[in-house]
Amino acid sequence: KVIWTLLVTILGYASSLPVGDDSICAAEELAKYSIIFTGKWSQTAFPKQYPLYRPPAQWSSMLGVTHSSDYSMWKKNEYASNGVRDFAEKGEAWLLMKEIEEAGEKIQSVHGIFSAPAISSGTGQTSTELEVHPRHPLVSFVVRIVPSPDWFVGIDSLNLCEGDHWMEEVSVDLFPYDAGTDSGFTFSSPNFATIPQDTVTEITCSSPSHPANSFYYPKLKILPPIAHVKMVKLRKNQLGLSAPYFNLPAKSNEVIDSV
């Protein structure tokens, strides 16, 4: 009787321990998604200091990863890794890819890396495919805002698994983030390292609270989304097919947002 009571107590304690977001995924073996990134960075929606030349407003390539909760590419209010710093400041991906590969080798936390082509204007689309696994159901990615000091958009650890199934479709509005490694206020600011390094923070219409800030719109309550991402689960008969790739000229995909 004493042993039984002790066993029940231990099991009860174990069931009360926190569980990772991906530990309860009981979906089918794996799933593939089409991921479509849409830039909404138009002069209509973001007129202040909108970059028209040298270089004009555009987006870097997308770099993303499917992973478990043991890995984090970036996280709000935490310090960016050296790889994220290089990507956010200069669009250089090799160090970030090295960090991802090392995490996959050491703790088996990464299932796969995916990328999509850059967009040569502030508005347009790019797309690719990604694969998730029940032990690696989380998606993270970064896309650099070009030009900018160290600004980017992205997703941190989005779980595509719901209990015993994969979500059919997910759409997320994206807003700008500051990597905390460069102290520039404007899109075309010269390189000026932040010492000591700051944490990753979301850029809003009132933060940083400085008139020189390119995203400073004090009359707005919130910024309009600067980008959007949509992930659609592919049916089995679609697997192996490349997702459509769009790089539309700005005029044909202009975002008409009144601000």
Side-chain angles (χ1 to χ4, degrees):
K1 184 176 180 180
V2 173
I3 294 174
W4 175 251
T5 302
L6 181 61
L7 181 61
V8 170
T9 302
I10 293 172
L11 290 175
Y13 170 74
S15 65
S16 67
L17 293 175
V19 179
D21 290 340
D22 55 331
S23 62
I24 57 174
C25 182
E28 59 196 63
E29 186 175 355
L30 57 83
K32 281 192 175 181
Y33 284 81
S34 168
I35 177 169
I36 303 168
F37 175 90
T38 303
K40 293 188 172 185
W41 186 18
S42 69
Q43 191 172 11
T44 305
F46 299 92
K48 184 177 180 182
Q49 303 169 358
Y50 189 80
L52 295 174
Y53 57 92
R54 295 184 183 180
Q58 56 190 277
W59 300 95
S60 77
S61 58
M62 172 193 290
L63 181 60
V65 61
T66 56
H67 58 97
S68 69
S69 59
D70 294 324
Y71 172 79
S72 176
M73 175 182 270
W74 66 275
K75 196 171 291 292
K76 183 178 178 181
N77 298 326
E78 294 188 7
Y79 293 104
S81 68
N82 290 333
V84 171
R85 177 201 63 204
D86 283 1
F87 192 88
E89 289 188 12
K90 298 174 284 188
E92 295 178 357
W94 72 269
L95 182 55
L96 180 53
M97 290 195 62
K98 184 179 179 182
E99 291 174 353
I100 294 170
E101 290 169 1
E102 287 178 350
E105 291 172 0
K106 290 180 180 178
I107 54 178
Q108 302 296 308
S109 58
V110 172
H111 180 70
I113 300 174
F114 60 91
S115 64
I119 303 174
S120 60
S121 61
T123 58
Q125 286 188 334
T126 186
S127 65
T128 187
E129 292 181 3
L130 60 88
E131 184 179 86
V132 283
H133 185 274
R135 292 193 300 273
H136 306 87
L138 308 180
V139 175
S140 298
F141 71 82
V142 287
V143 180
R144 180 177 181 245
I145 298 173
V146 183
S148 74
D150 61 341
W151 303 341
F152 69 96
V153 297
I155 280 180
D156 165 38
S157 303
L158 175 66
N159 195 343
L160 294 179
C161 183
E162 283 188 326
D164 62 352
H165 67 279
W166 298 105
M167 290 189 281
E168 292 296 323
E169 185 175 307
V170 181
S171 293
V172 182
D173 286 331
L174 303 176
F175 299 89
Y177 280 89
D178 187 318
T181 61
D182 192 297
S183 297
F185 270 122
T186 66
F187 296 119
S188 57
S189 293
N191 184 37
F192 185 64
T194 302
I195 301 174
Q197 180 177 335
D198 203 352
T199 58
V200 175
T201 56
E202 183 176 351
I203 299 172
T204 70
C205 56
S206 58
S207 179
S209 182
H210 194 291
N213 177 18
S214 292
F215 287 110
Y216 186 68
Y217 293 94
K219 293 183 179 180
L220 295 181
K221 291 184 178 179
I222 59 171
L223 286 175
I226 196 170
H228 179 84
V229 67
K230 183 177 182 180
M231 283 168 271
V232 181
K233 185 174 178 289
L234 299 175
R235 297 185 298 273
K236 288 186 178 180
N237 62 354
Q238 293 177 298
L239 299 184
L241 298 177
S242 296
Y245 166 66
F246 304 97
N247 192 359
L248 306 178
K251 288 184 179 179
S252 65
N253 197 37
E254 186 79 11
V255 179
I256 309 298
D257 284 323
S258 178
V259 295

